[in-house]
């Protein structure tokens, strides 16, 4: 999802080698639905600002069958797309909250969508402009994070599981449980998420709680278990996991199924297991923030993303599961039956994140910072520290002035 | 000062006011304020009270009611709590200071002889050597640090080399040593440059004069070169220590996120999961006050030494 560095390299490469990547060169037979007027905004100088995860849309990477979604959209509609990336839901949230940036389309995850809905940061969508929403798998319509489905159109989804290196993990050990991430046998061989929601989710689930619990005691117990786990954790990572797992640096790590497939393709020793105790199913969906300038054009973009061909290309490129029913049928059988598309049994015990009350979020954030930083001390340490620093600064300067006076005499 | 100079300096003064003074003021404001929710009568509500009144509201008017009618609003109030909260992370701050100090000392020890060596070379060679010292800076900061990951990893280049001679593997990445290494590698040029620019001004004849007067090599270094290069040392220390103490990406990449520095904590408050700009601003403020102290210490050494050398 967030291969910043791969992306960085790619951008540098592309920028230097291919001065102008033209739209749809690969000879795709384009057959878009005619349910909407694609040309409505042509020649009006309309620009759409799209804000998405890194490596989360099909681009022309020079491989056979490559398809550049944004270029195709520009060609079809005459609307300019300004595309930029974020690395975490929280970064997206901070950007929007701080103001000053204007996006027309954003693609956050479930719990962030419900938080944004609660805080009135999203516009309601006009589904008349998004007829392709009809293709959405009913399973993903009216989700918990958007119960009336007024604000979001699902883009891609997936589950979290444990990716592990078969050469480093004992065959006797049960990998289908979160407990293995606390197994001291794998000290310094375990990677964990470097975001609080996923990490706490795992700790909570392991102790038999819901991902969305607001029970303070349960959360504190989870934090305690994470502090206990910290000595055997090699690193808290997000993107770095690709290099580390592919290079055999670590034995076990929780991560997203779609990315696990990518890693397994590069290192055949890797395997993926879904914990029997239940896991997280996440959905990233397209939304229009309150700051959007051109709502209708943004809806046109969302509708375009739900075109069967586009959804298929995105799903193939990103490797995550698509909620688009038509696109799914065009995937090859191997993909359809892979861990990317877990069976109903797994889905039944999976749970999605929803937005937590402010008090719980604050508690989680505080505990997360505590877990990562070490130790505690009296609250008055800081004020005393500041005063001492300032006093010393003044003293030094005063002393210098005094001395200067003396030497002048 | 003539009028034209004043006029020419104006663009930067304006820049300074808008992009340095104002943000500094904003940090202070953020550090000493917090956003609270108040009800229609202006009473401050706690998180539990908010949930309570909201639930009560929905119960009374049904699920579809517009919550805005409840009359809750957000207000910014003065508080010391953020500063007090920073105390919890004092260990992290001290750890950052400690690591940055080590890195600064290593940089100084490495850079000093090199800078002296370069400054004594022939002019054209000096330019060449200086360019070589600056070479790593041409690469993006992130990529430079990223490359160290591949070198230090358990199956990385170094460990593979060690394995060839039957040693290792050593745990190098995800340690504090790796973080210090990252700092030294990234900030070394900032130490070499100021040292070099001061040393290149030391006239070779001064050194020769000292030698003529019977000073041996150690005395020349200790009594002539060192005092004359003190301004370079102090600005070098500032230029390495200040960015090193507030760095954030190095510890995440080379320290594995388990060795958090104060820069990571601040990053976490703004772009990370723990979205709390007020606490983040308070942390920055504490860091700034500390850096202020460091600068005045290095400045005072600077002044003292130049005075001594003038005498």
């Amino acid at each position: 999802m967030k291969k910043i560095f791969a992306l960085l390299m790619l951008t540098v490469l592309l920028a230097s080698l291919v001065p102008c990547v033209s739209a749809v060169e690969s000879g795709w037979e384009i057959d878009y639905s005619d349910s909407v007027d694609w040309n409505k905004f042509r020649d009006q100088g309309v620009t759409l600002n799209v804000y998405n995860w890194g490596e989360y849309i099909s681009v022309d990477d020079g491989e056979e069958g490559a398809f550049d979604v944004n270029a195709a959209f520009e060609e079809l509609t005459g609307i300019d797309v300004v595309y930029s990336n974020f690395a975490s839901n929280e970064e997206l949230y901070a950007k929007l909250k701080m103001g000053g940036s204007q996006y027309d389309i954003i693609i956050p995850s479930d719990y962030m969508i419900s938080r944004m809905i609660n805080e009135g940061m999203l516009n309601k969508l006009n589904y008349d402009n998004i007829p392709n929403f009809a293709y959405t798998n009913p399973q993903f319509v009216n989700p918990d994070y958007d119960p009336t489905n007024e604000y979001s159109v699902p883009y891609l989804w997936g589950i979290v599981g444990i990716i592990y290196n078969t050469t480093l993990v004992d065959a006797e050990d049960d990998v289908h449980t979160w407990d293995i991430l606390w197994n001291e046998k794998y000290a310094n061989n375990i990677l964990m998420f470097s975001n609080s929601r996923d990490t706490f989710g795992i700790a909570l689930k392991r102790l038999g709680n819901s991902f969305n619990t607001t029970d303070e005691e349960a959360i504190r117990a989870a934090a305690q278990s994470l502090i206990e786990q910290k000595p055997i954790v090699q690193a808290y990572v997000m993107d770095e996991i690709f290099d580390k797992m592919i290079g055999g640096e670590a034995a076990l790590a929780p991560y997203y199924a779609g990315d696990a497939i990518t890693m397994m393709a590069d290192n055949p020793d890797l395997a993926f297991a879904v914990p029997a105790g239940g896991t997280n199913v996440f959905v990233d969906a397209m939304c229009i923030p309150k700051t959007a300038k051109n709502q209708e054009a943004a809806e046109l973009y969302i509708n375009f993303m739900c075109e069967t061909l586009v959804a298929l290309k995105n799903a193939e490129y990103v490797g995550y599961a698509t909620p688009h029913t038509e696109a799914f049928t065009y995937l090859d059988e191997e993909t359809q039956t892979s861990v990317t598309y877990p069976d109903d049994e797994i889905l039944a015990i999976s749970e999605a994140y929803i937005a937590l009350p402010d008090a719980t979020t604050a508690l989680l954030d505080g505990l997360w910072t505590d877990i990562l930083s070490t130790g505690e001390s009296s609250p008055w340490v800081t004020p005393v520290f500041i005063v001492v620093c300032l006093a010393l600064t003044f003293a030094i300067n005063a002393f210098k002035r005094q001395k200067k006076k003396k030497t002048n005499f | 000062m003539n009028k034209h100079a004043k006029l020419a300096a104006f663009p930067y003064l304006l820049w300074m006011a808008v992009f340095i003074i104002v943000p500094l003021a904003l940090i202070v404001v953020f550090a000493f304020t917090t956003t609270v929710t108040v009800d229609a009568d202006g009473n401050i509500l706690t998180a539990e009270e908010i949930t309570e009144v909201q639930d009560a509201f929905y119960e009374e008017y049904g699920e579809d009611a517009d919550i805005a009618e409840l009359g809750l609003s957000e207000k910014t109030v003065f508080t010391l709590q953020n500063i007090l909260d920073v105390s919890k992370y004092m260990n992290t701050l001290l750890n950052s200071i400690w690591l940055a100090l080590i890195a600064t000392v290593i940089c100084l020890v490495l850079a000093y002889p090199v800078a002296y060596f370069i400054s004594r070379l022939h002019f054209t060679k000096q330019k060449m050597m200086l360019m070589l010292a600056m070479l790593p800076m041409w690469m993006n900061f992130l990529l430079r640090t990223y490359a160290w990951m591949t070198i230090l990893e358990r199956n990385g280049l170094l460990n593979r080399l060690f394995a060839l001679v039957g040693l290792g593997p050593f745990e190098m990445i995800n340690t504090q040593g790796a973080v210090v290494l990252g700092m030294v590698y990234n900030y070394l040029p900032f130490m070499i440059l100021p040292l070099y620019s001061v040393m290149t001004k030391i006239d070779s004849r001064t050194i020769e004069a000292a030698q003529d007067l019977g000073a041996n090599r150690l005395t020349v270094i200790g009594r002539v070169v060192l005092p004359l290069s003190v301004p370079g040392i102090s600005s070098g220390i500032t230029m390495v220590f200040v960015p090193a103490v507030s760095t954030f990406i190095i510890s995440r990449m080379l320290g594995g996120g388990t060795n958090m520095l104060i820069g990571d904590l601040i990053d976490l408050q703004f772009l990370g999961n723990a979205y709390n700009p007020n606490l983040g601003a308070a942390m920055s403020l504490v860091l700034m006050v500390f850096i202020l102290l460091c600068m005045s210490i290095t400045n005072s050494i600077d002044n003292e030494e130049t005075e001594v050398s003038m005498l």
Side-chain angles (χ1 to χ4, degrees):
Chain A
M1 193 186 303
K2 296 142 245 171
K3 309 170 208 165
I4 304 179
F5 297 106
L7 197 74
L8 235 156
M9 298 286 215
L10 196 79
T11 335
V12 172
L13 255 172
L14 280 182
S16 55
L17 293 179
V18 200
C20 167
V21 183
S22 118
V24 195
E25 271 178 340
S26 325
W28 268 90
E29 284 271 336
I30 303 167
D31 192 13
Y32 297 113
S33 64
D34 48 11
S35 47
V36 287
D37 178 14
W38 296 110
N39 285 312
K40 191 167 180 188
F41 296 97
R42 188 173 287 282
D43 302 327
Q44 291 175 24
V46 177
T47 304
L48 282 179
N49 287 297
V50 181
Y51 203 33
N52 192 4
W53 298 88
E55 285 280 280
Y56 213 45
I57 194 168
S58 176
V59 295
D60 190 351
D61 55 2
E63 279 185 34
E64 207 194 329
F67 180 79
D68 190 323
V69 170
N70 283 329
F73 178 76
E74 287 179 338
E75 191 174 285
L76 178 66
T77 62
I79 296 173
D80 281 332
V81 176
V82 178
Y83 185 78
S84 43
N85 295 327
F86 57 87
S88 72
N89 282 306
E90 289 69 30
E91 184 187 335
L92 165 70
Y93 177 83
K95 266 267 179 67
L96 289 178
K97 204 72 183 173
M98 291 267 192
S101 44
Q102 211 162 35
Y103 298 104
D104 297 288
I105 292 134
I106 52 173
I107 311 190
S109 308
D110 36 35
Y111 69 96
M112 191 50 77
I113 293 173
S114 60
R115 182 173 181 182
M116 287 176 167
I117 293 174
N118 289 342
E119 297 184 16
M121 294 164 73
L122 300 179
N123 275 343
K124 284 190 181 177
L125 303 178
N126 179 359
Y127 285 88
D128 293 341
N129 295 332
I130 314 171
N132 285 339
F133 181 70
Y135 290 119
T136 308
N137 187 336
Q139 219 175 337
F140 297 100
V141 177
N142 298 336
D144 286 342
Y145 59 83
D146 183 8
T148 44
N149 216 123
E150 289 173 295
Y151 297 92
S152 62
V153 174
Y155 176 54
L156 291 168
W157 65 279
I159 57 166
V160 173
I162 297 174
I163 179 161
Y164 63 100
N165 193 319
T166 46
T167 59
L168 296 172
V169 176
D170 269 344
E172 298 141 35
D173 284 327
D174 183 15
V175 287
H176 291 85
T177 162
W178 295 119
D179 282 330
I180 195 153
L181 296 174
W182 270 258
N183 190 336
E184 284 177 19
K185 202 158 96 188
Y186 302 108
N188 237 337
N189 256 325
I190 293 166
L191 302 175
M192 285 295 279
F193 283 112
S194 71
N195 75 68
S196 60
R197 196 72 206 261
D198 283 322
T199 310
F200 266 97
I202 290 168
L204 283 167
K205 207 56 167 185
R206 176 172 166 263
L207 298 174
N209 299 297
S210 155
F211 287 133
N212 301 313
T213 186
T214 52
D215 178 24
E216 189 172 332
E217 234 164 81
I219 292 172
R220 286 195 185 277
Q224 192 53 42
S225 79
L226 286 171
I227 291 173
E228 281 160 21
Q229 184 208 23
K230 194 181 170 190
I232 63 165
V233 174
Q234 186 191 94
Y236 294 92
V237 293
M238 289 307 290
D239 319 308
E240 299 95 321
I241 194 173
F242 286 89
D243 275 355
K244 288 195 191 282
M245 287 313 288
I246 292 169
E249 282 294 312
L252 293 149
Y255 219 64
Y256 312 109
D259 294 324
I261 302 262
T262 314
M263 288 183 252
M264 281 149 71
D266 285 337
N267 183 348
D269 290 336
L270 297 178
F272 188 76
V274 181
T279 187
N280 164 237
V281 54
F282 61 87
V283 181
D284 295 322
M286 296 172 277
C287 306
I288 300 180
K290 274 264 147 70
T291 49
K293 270 178 298 182
N294 197 328
Q295 167 118 10
E296 212 182 326
E299 283 162 352
L300 193 68
Y301 185 86
I302 294 177
N303 191 50
F304 180 80
M305 293 288 262
C306 294
E307 283 284 310
T308 305
L309 170 90
V310 178
L312 175 68
K313 280 289 147 194
N314 280 331
E316 281 178 352
Y317 183 89
V318 179
Y320 281 35
T322 177
H324 195 283
T325 46
E326 279 289 299
F328 177 75
T329 59
Y330 286 108
L331 289 167
D332 55 59
E333 202 177 321
E334 200 190 322
T335 313
Q336 284 180 356
T337 53
S338 71
V339 288
T340 314
Y341 295 89
D343 52 35
D344 293 340
E345 222 172 284
I346 290 175
L347 281 182
I349 54 165
S350 301
E351 196 186 357
Y353 295 137
I354 57 168
L356 299 171
D358 286 348
T360 312
T361 312
L363 177 68
L364 274 186
D365 294 347
L367 288 172
W368 175 238
T369 322
D370 290 351
I371 291 168
L372 291 182
S373 59
T374 40
E376 273 192 44
S377 41
S378 146
W380 291 99
V381 173
T382 316
V384 171
F385 181 81
I386 293 183
V387 171
V388 169
C389 281
L390 285 177
L392 274 174
T393 312
F394 280 120
I396 287 169
N397 286 313
F399 176 72
K400 265 192 317 201
R401 217 166 295 142
Q402 200 75 30
K403 215 174 155 193
K404 222 180 199 172
K405 255 188 210 160
K406 268 186 198 159
T407 42
N408 281 348
F409 277 123
Chain B
M1 203 195 328
N2 80 36
K3 229 178 183 175
H4 294 290
K6 228 184 210 170
L7 215 63
F10 182 73
Y12 180 72
L13 291 180
L14 187 74
W15 172 275
M16 203 169 78
V18 175
F19 294 111
I20 300 178
I21 308 288
V22 173
L24 274 178
L26 276 177
I27 286 179
V28 176
V29 169
F30 264 79
F32 286 105
T33 56
T34 186
T35 311
V36 291
T37 309
V38 291
D39 62 12
D41 303 325
N43 299 318
I44 295 170
L45 301 178
T46 63
E48 286 99 42
E49 283 170 338
I50 296 170
T51 339
E52 240 167 66
V53 293
Q54 279 178 343
D55 288 349
F57 176 81
Y58 280 127
E59 220 159 86
E60 200 175 336
Y61 300 100
E63 283 294 322
D64 297 330
D66 188 3
I67 194 76
E69 282 172 26
L70 195 54
L72 295 182
S73 60
E74 288 192 335
K75 210 172 119 187
T76 308
V77 292
F78 172 82
T79 178
L80 263 179
Q81 197 55 45
N82 299 322
I83 300 285
L84 296 181
D85 281 347
V86 177
S87 302
K88 266 202 278 184
Y89 312 112
M90 217 52 192
N91 285 339
T92 312
L93 177 63
L94 293 178
N95 192 35
S96 319
I97 294 172
W98 176 236
L99 293 186
L101 256 176
I102 299 176
T104 313
V105 170
I106 296 177
C107 277
L108 184 61
V109 170
L110 287 178
Y112 198 86
V114 172
Y116 183 67
F117 166 71
I118 297 178
S119 73
R120 296 299 111 193
L121 286 174
H122 186 264
F123 181 72
T124 45
K125 276 191 187 154
Q126 279 189 22
K127 290 283 158 224
M128 186 68 194
M129 289 299 289
L130 210 59
M131 201 186 77
L132 286 177
M134 292 298 117
L135 205 60
M137 311 266 290
W138 297 5
M139 241 187 313
N140 179 289
F141 179 86
L142 277 179
L143 290 183
R144 261 182 284 159
T145 315
Y146 193 54
W148 272 110
M149 272 172 80
T150 349
I151 296 173
L152 295 179
E153 272 173 346
R154 203 176 299 168
N155 300 324
L157 287 174
L158 264 181
N159 267 330
R160 261 187 270 166
L161 271 181
F162 283 134
L164 285 181
V165 288
L167 290 170
F170 299 103
E171 286 293 334
M172 287 181 288
I173 196 147
N174 304 330
T175 60
Q176 300 210 327
V179 178
V180 172
L181 177 75
M183 288 178 180
V184 170
Y185 183 77
N186 280 307
Y187 300 122
L188 190 57
F190 293 111
M191 185 65 94
I192 297 179
L193 259 193
L195 280 176
Y196 161 80
S197 61
V198 168
M199 285 183 182
T200 193
K201 284 187 205 119
I202 301 177
D203 199 325
S204 292
R205 284 171 298 183
T206 323
I207 296 167
E208 281 157 20
Q211 282 166 338
D212 285 346
L213 292 170
N216 61 20
R217 252 180 214 188
L218 264 178
T219 323
V220 169
I221 299 282
R223 301 286 296 275
V224 180
V225 180
L226 203 62
L228 285 176
S229 61
V230 161
I233 296 178
S234 71
S235 60
I237 289 177
T238 315
M239 283 175 80
V240 172
F241 183 75
V242 173
V245 81
S246 58
T247 184
F248 66 97
I249 197 78
I250 295 177
S251 56
R252 198 157 71 207
M253 288 165 83
L254 299 178
T258 48
N259 295 298
M260 255 216 176
L261 299 185
I262 192 73
D264 297 282
L265 270 181
I266 296 172
D267 174 52
L268 201 65
Q269 304 311 319
F270 286 96
L271 289 179
N273 202 308
Y275 180 72
N276 190 347
N278 300 99
L279 182 60
M283 289 176 183
S284 313
L285 192 70
V286 174
L287 194 59
M288 282 197 301
V289 171
F290 176 73
I291 289 171
L292 185 72
L293 170 68
C294 296
M295 302 265 282
S296 32
I297 292 177
T298 47
N299 275 341
S300 72
I301 300 170
D302 198 2
N303 290 353
E304 249 166 61
E305 289 297 333
T306 37
E307 275 160 29
V308 170
S309 61
M310 275 193 301
L311 295 171

